[in-house]
Amino acid sequence: MMTEKMMIRSFGNEPPLLADGRRAPDRREVSLRWLSGTFLTGITSSVLMGVALFAALDGRQQLAIPAEAYASIHADAHADTDVTRGGRLIAPAIAAKPSDRKIMEVSTVVHEGDKEVVRRQPFARVKMTLAANHVATEDYPGFNPLTIFSADEPEPSPAARTGQIYGSDVESEVSLKTVPYLTGKSGFQVAAGMSLDEIEENVRSNGSVLTDGAAQIAALYYVDPRRFSNDDNDVDLTAGLTARVLEQNMTVSAPESITPQTEEFADDIIPVRQDTPIVKAMMDSGYPEPQAKGLASYLSPLTGSDLLSKGDVLRIGILQRGEQAKIIRASLYRGVRHLFTVSLDDHDRYVTGREPPKLDAVTTAFDDSAMTAPSNQNLPRVYDGIYRAALSYGMTKDMTALIIKLLASSVDFQAELRPTDSLEAFFSVADSSGQATEDSDLLYVNARFGDTQTRFYRFQDPEDGSIDYFDQDGKSIRQFLLRNPVPNGIFKSGFGMRRHPILGFARMHTGVDWAAPRGTAIIAVGNGTVEKAGWDSGGYGNQTIVRHANGYESSYNHQSAIAKGVVPGSKVRQGQVIGWVGTTGESTGPHLHYEMIVNGTKVDPLRVRLPGGKSLKGEALVKFEDERKRIDTLLGNEPPPQVASK
């Protein structure tokens, strides 16, 4: 008889029973468990990988080439990094480049007693794009017209400190002494004539050892040395003479120290208002020619032409690091429609890329009203731009203030900088670091603001020893007379017929009124001699009259007080404070009534044609032209344009 345990068996598709009474696992059930576990594991892994990928992309939804990825990063994503993103540039802001600054060893000649000493000195030549993002190395004074024209300018240094540019290079230092050639009888006794044999003996004995103290005389042989040679070569006229080969046109400069710089990305928007070549559009916006031609070579095949059409908008992405600026992306829009974008890849080659994120500046590129008041102030005023650039390039505050004063008659310092505004300067420095000191001299400036170019040179007049700055024609860069003796004043009334505010009838107004608070300083409009300083009974109140050269006089009226020392016969200088605004005499409020008198006739100070400053003539002009040519040759400047005359 079979036992109960042996009789347990399975019927149909049911799993068999085990000996302990439990049912055996179904194979289909095991498969479902495995499949569910695998599926859940895959879902979890995908979620984790997605989170990691999303974090790596910084929130972006797709991959991109490096330049596009960088350009689409929002500024907030770099809060903890060294990379920041700039806002919209209202106008192009091109970074300064190391090549814009060069230290040169230049030979200069100075007079020391009866000798001329030629020595090498370091000079700095800087080319500053004023619209670049310069950072001033120190604080500078705020804009104040009165201080610009004031007479607190430091006295010019003597020419012996820097000297004049020498026409040739010297190795170290050379002393030159010039003595007049004796044309008459000398006080020396004349020795008896030498015979031919005695001459030959002297040449044999002394020809190879001609010296003057420690200096050996080098000259062409005045006789054929082979004439005195023999088979034994007992005469060697070249003994003691050696030649040294000097390498030309080679400059050795110490490597500049490299400091970490913060990277900044900015979009530059260039609206095209008329059909213009790509290269010209970029160069007009401040880009150097090699950079403009390089990008144009990639854009031209895509546009099918070298020209940009009227209404196009060129959007350029710039990556700036310190003084280095690199174009990493360029997009072209026809109106607001995107045409194409090129971006740099990992091999520094431009390839077609995706359109960068939308930018409102593209839409408003031709809206001039949007450019009047830039919120980020990427383009400062001319005054700030000059100071920031000059100080960042190693110039001193005094030297920069001098440039400001010399440009004051032709430059509006309150105007907004243009991308093409630039300033080139050439000045002496202490050493190869390129930093100017209080002993440095400014020798040359070339300023370009808009369509106006001003170039001037430092020169010492040999006739009176005065030092000034002259343009390329030898005319002083300083204005003969200023038109406004109250730089902080407000124009109130012009020259001509008007109804007198006190007398109540029409009367000729023989000057210009400048309104200003009582006590505002009044400056002399030019150098001259005080002719009158005191009270005027005719209604002018406190009055000062200054006589200038060539029949010009200036009159300052209604002053509250006249400066101490301003008395008849005293000398005043342009910019010197000579009094203060008041309301003395027949006056209804504090203002200055300013008059200009030419050969006894009162003229309109704002319209009269004023003569230029001092002009060099004769021998002084010849020496100045020589000095100017030496500087132009040294700097590689083009010759000044010639004006045809009858």
Side-chain angles (χ1 to χ4, degrees):
M1 181 177 180
M2 298 178 65
T3 63
E4 182 180 359
K5 184 176 181 180
M6 296 295 296
M7 292 177 64
I8 298 175
R9 58 180 181 162
S10 166
F11 295 93
N13 293 328
E14 294 182 1
L17 297 176
L18 299 177
D20 56 2
R22 293 184 295 108
R23 186 179 298 277
D26 191 343
R27 291 183 178 181
R28 290 173 299 175
E29 183 178 351
V30 173
S31 299
L32 289 175
R33 289 178 181 177
W34 175 83
L35 181 61
S36 299
T38 303
F39 180 75
L40 292 175
T41 301
I43 292 295
T44 304
S45 301
S46 299
V47 171
L48 294 176
M49 291 176 63
V51 171
L53 182 60
F54 185 83
L57 290 175
D58 287 339
R60 298 190 303 277
Q61 303 301 320
Q62 59 185 0
L63 293 173
I65 62 176
E68 290 178 324
Y70 188 89
S72 62
I73 299 176
H74 192 272
D76 295 339
H78 296 287
D80 297 328
T81 68
D82 292 334
V83 180
T84 60
R85 176 172 178 160
R88 172 197 174 188
L89 291 181
I90 300 302
I94 309 304
K97 301 178 291 298
S99 59
D100 292 341
R101 175 172 168 176
K102 182 179 181 181
I103 308 300
M104 310 169 63
E105 289 287 336
V106 181
S107 298
T108 61
V109 56
V110 297
H111 296 273
E112 294 183 359
D114 60 346
K115 295 182 179 180
E116 292 182 336
V117 179
V118 183
R119 61 170 63 95
R120 295 179 67 83
Q121 294 185 3
F123 283 80
R125 181 190 187 182
V126 296
K127 296 181 179 180
M128 300 172 280
T129 302
L130 301 181
N133 297 324
H134 299 289
V135 178
T137 56
E138 56 182 315
D139 296 333
Y140 58 88
F143 177 77
N144 185 343
L146 182 61
T147 59
I148 291 177
F149 292 104
S150 67
D152 295 334
E153 177 185 337
E155 292 295 329
S157 59
R161 191 164 70 188
T162 299
Q164 296 179 329
I165 304 299
Y166 192 60
S168 304
D169 288 335
V170 298
E171 184 178 355
S172 56
E173 181 174 309
V174 176
S175 296
L176 305 175
K177 183 178 180 181
T178 303
V179 295
Y181 185 80
L182 294 178
T183 58
K185 295 182 178 180
S186 66
F188 301 102
Q189 294 183 357
V190 180
M194 300 177 64
S195 64
L196 181 61
D197 293 338
E198 291 175 329
I199 293 175
E200 292 190 2
E201 180 62 28
N202 272 276
V203 172
R204 288 177 178 273
S205 304
N206 305 318
S208 61
V209 291
L210 295 177
T211 59
D212 181 11
Q216 185 167 358
I217 297 176
L220 295 175
Y221 294 121
Y222 48 88
V223 293
D224 184 359
R226 290 174 297 180
R227 175 182 174 186
F228 303 103
S229 62
N230 52 34
D231 296 338
D232 298 331
N233 291 327
D234 59 337
V235 176
D236 184 8
L237 295 182
T238 63
L241 297 180
T242 58
R244 180 178 181 183
V245 178
L246 299 177
E247 296 181 80
Q248 299 294 320
N249 301 325
M250 183 182 74
T251 302
V252 179
S253 59
E256 298 182 0
S257 59
I258 301 176
T259 57
Q261 299 287 344
T262 301
E263 287 185 339
E264 182 179 7
F265 176 81
D267 275 304
D268 179 12
I269 306 301
I270 303 177
V272 182
R273 302 181 185 275
Q274 59 183 3
D275 293 353
T276 308
I278 300 175
V279 174
K280 185 177 186 304
M282 295 186 63
M283 292 181 62
D284 289 346
S285 297
Y287 289 88
E289 184 176 2
Q291 210 169 28
K293 289 184 176 180
L295 181 60
S297 64
Y298 287 93
L299 299 182
S300 297
L302 297 177
T303 61
S305 171
D306 294 333
L307 297 177
L308 295 175
S309 302
K310 180 180 179 180
D312 287 353
V313 178
L314 184 60
R315 176 181 175 182
I316 300 179
I318 302 174
L319 185 62
Q320 181 170 305
R321 181 182 179 87
E323 295 183 345
Q324 299 286 346
K326 184 178 184 180
I327 298 177
I328 64 172
R329 189 197 63 222
S331 303
L332 183 63
Y333 294 82
R334 187 136 294 164
V336 294
R337 181 171 61 90
H338 175 257
L339 297 183
F340 60 82
T341 293
V342 295
S343 304
L344 282 184
D345 61 11
D346 292 336
H347 303 287
D348 279 345
R349 293 176 300 189
Y350 286 103
V351 296
T352 303
R354 296 179 180 272
E355 178 185 2
K358 297 290 185 181
L359 195 64
D360 293 339
V362 175
T363 307
T364 61
F366 295 94
D367 183 5
D368 294 334
S369 62
M371 300 176 61
T372 55
S375 58
N376 55 1
Q377 296 183 359
N378 282 311
L379 293 182
R381 301 297 177 184
V382 170
Y383 178 85
D384 297 306
I386 293 176
Y387 258 106
R388 293 177 186 178
L391 295 179
S392 67
Y393 274 86
M395 303 177 74
T396 64
K397 287 192 292 186
D398 288 342
M399 187 180 293
T400 309
L402 176 59
I403 293 177
I404 292 283
K405 186 171 184 177
L406 294 174
L407 294 174
S409 61
S410 59
V411 177
D412 181 6
F413 296 121
Q414 285 293 75
E416 187 178 87
L417 276 172
R418 300 182 183 183
T420 55
D421 290 348
S422 63
L423 185 69
E424 179 184 2
F426 182 62
F427 53 94
S428 60
V429 294
D431 49 42
S432 59
S433 66
Q435 294 294 319
T437 65
E438 60 181 8
D439 293 330
S440 297
D441 288 322
L442 180 68
L443 268 64
Y444 166 82
V445 168
N446 183 18
R448 182 184 295 276
F449 293 92
D451 297 330
T452 303
Q453 183 177 9
T454 304
R455 181 187 294 185
F456 51 86
Y457 307 77
R458 181 181 186 269
F459 179 70
Q460 183 175 25
D461 191 339
E463 295 180 359
D464 55 12
S466 62
I467 296 176
D468 205 349
Y469 291 86
F470 300 86
D471 66 11
Q472 58 195 23
D473 298 320
K475 295 181 180 179
S476 175
I477 198 65
R478 299 179 191 271
Q479 196 171 0
F480 174 60
L481 295 176
L482 305 176
R483 296 189 184 274
N484 182 8
V486 187
N488 292 325
I490 300 174
F491 175 78
K492 282 297 182 182
S493 181
F495 184 91
M497 293 297 296
R498 69 164 188 172
R499 184 178 178 83
H500 196 281
I502 295 179
L503 301 178
F505 55 83
R507 184 178 180 181
M508 182 66 181
H509 189 234
T510 56
V512 174
D513 290 346
W514 298 95
R518 178 184 175 89
T520 301
I522 301 170
I523 62 176
V525 297
N527 300 339
T529 303
V530 177
E531 196 171 76
K532 177 183 178 181
W535 185 263
D536 177 76
S537 58
Y540 284 124
N542 286 324
Q543 181 187 52
T544 301
I545 298 178
V546 178
R547 183 177 68 255
H548 309 283
N550 304 319
Y552 285 80
E553 293 177 291
S554 56
S555 176
Y556 314 81
N557 307 279
H558 305 310
Q559 301 174 85
S560 61
I562 299 174
K564 183 179 180 180
V566 178
V567 296
S570 62
K571 302 289 186 180
V572 295
R573 295 178 296 170
Q574 186 179 73
Q576 178 180 337
V577 176
I578 59 174
W580 293 270
V581 171
T583 183
T584 58
E586 295 180 2
S587 172
T588 58
H591 74 285
L592 172 71
H593 175 76
Y594 170 61
E595 295 181 347
M596 176 71 69
I597 307 167
V598 181
N599 294 329
T601 302
K602 295 182 179 180
V603 298
D604 188 348
L606 299 182
R607 295 182 180 274
V608 63
R609 184 175 182 179
L610 297 175
K614 175 182 178 181
S615 295
L616 298 174
K617 298 179 181 179
E619 183 181 354
L621 179 59
V622 173
K623 291 185 177 181
F624 166 76
E625 290 179 345
D626 291 340
E627 176 75 358
R628 176 184 59 78
K629 290 177 182 178
R630 283 192 288 265
I631 294 178
D632 287 341
T633 301
L634 181 66
L635 302 182
N637 293 336
E638 297 180 357
Q642 299 295 325
V643 179
S645 60
K646 295 182 181 180

